[in-house]
Amino acid sequence: MSLQELHKIQTTKSSWQDFVEYSIHTPFYTETKAKTQSLVEAIQLTLFHDYLSTFSSEEKSEFLSSPNAFQASAEKFVNILEGVRYSQDGYNKKERSLFLGMLKSLLKEYKVDENGERKDLERYHFYRCIIRFCSDKDYIFRVYEKYKSYLSQGSGV
C-alpha cells in the first residue's frame, strides 16, 4: 500500500465526516426532518440539497428542469469511485480494500450497543446514504425525484 493510496482514502473519510457534520447543522435538514417525519428521507433530501449546492445556479436550474442533464452529471459523480468499484478496466485491489475498510470503519463507529441500539442512528444513516449516493446512480435519480417533489411542496429554505 502506498502513502498516496492511504492519503486518498483518509482524505475521503475526513471529507465525508465533515460533510455529514455540516449537513446535520443546516437549516434545510432541520426543516426537512420536521416536515417529512422520516430520518432517512430527510437525510436523503439533505444530502441531495447539499450536493446541488456545489454547482452554480445555472447548473442547478438545468439539473432540476432536465432529468437527462442531471442523469449525465450523476453518472460522472458515481464514476469518480470507479477505481474502487467494478469498471471495465478493472479496479485497484489495494485501493478498493482500503476504501471498503474505510466504509466498514465509518459504519462500525455507530455499531449496535449492548442494548441492541445504534449509538448514533442519525450519523449511521447519513453514512449509509452517502455510500449509496457514491455507488448507485439509480438511487441518486430516485432521490432527485423525491427532491423535486419536496421542493414543489414549498420548502422554505
Side-chain angles (χ1 to χ4, degrees):
M1 149 181 28
S2 74
L3 190 54
Q4 184 179 11
E5 290 167 328
L6 186 59
H7 178 69
K8 182 177 179 180
I9 299 302
Q10 190 56 41
T11 300
T12 300
K13 181 178 181 180
S14 179
S15 296
W16 285 11
Q17 289 169 322
D18 291 345
F19 192 64
V20 167
E21 292 310 310
Y22 166 80
S23 295
I24 284 173
H25 300 291
T26 62
F28 185 86
Y29 178 61
T30 303
E31 174 196 283
T32 306
K33 194 164 57 166
K35 280 188 173 182
T36 64
Q37 297 292 301
S38 166
L39 182 63
V40 172
E41 186 174 358
I43 289 168
Q44 291 170 334
L45 294 171
T46 299
L47 288 173
F48 191 83
H49 178 78
D50 293 345
Y51 169 71
L52 278 184
S53 74
T54 65
F55 294 97
S56 70
S57 297
E58 295 81 22
E59 288 171 312
K60 281 189 257 187
S61 293
E62 180 184 5
F63 292 156
L64 292 174
S65 63
S66 171
N68 291 335
F70 176 73
Q71 277 189 313
S73 173
E75 189 166 328
K76 288 176 188 173
F77 177 73
V78 170
N79 285 339
I80 289 171
L81 293 176
E82 190 173 46
V84 296
R85 293 184 302 103
Y86 172 78
S87 74
Q88 290 180 338
D89 300 329
Y91 53 77
N92 179 323
K93 290 181 182 184
K94 287 181 190 174
E95 191 174 317
R96 178 179 169 82
S97 177
L98 288 170
F99 183 74
L100 293 174
M102 182 270 294
L103 296 179
K104 186 176 180 181
S105 76
L106 269 175
L107 294 174
K108 199 173 189 179
E109 288 177 31
Y110 305 103
K111 66 183 177 189
V112 176
D113 66 17
E114 61 279 351
N115 298 323
E117 299 290 323
R118 290 257 168 225
K119 290 182 181 176
D120 187 337
L121 192 60
E122 188 171 44
R123 282 171 180 77
Y124 175 78
H125 281 299
F126 261 102
Y127 290 120
R128 284 189 64 231
C129 289
I130 288 173
I131 292 165
R132 294 214 43 211
F133 261 91
C134 292
S135 60
D136 186 347
K137 67 181 176 191
D138 293 331
Y139 176 78
I140 295 172
F141 196 73
R142 287 191 304 272
V143 175
Y144 164 82
E145 292 295 335
K146 281 185 192 180
Y147 183 79
K148 286 179 23 176
S149 176
Y150 181 77
L151 289 182
S152 73
Q153 296 169 13
S155 167
V157 179

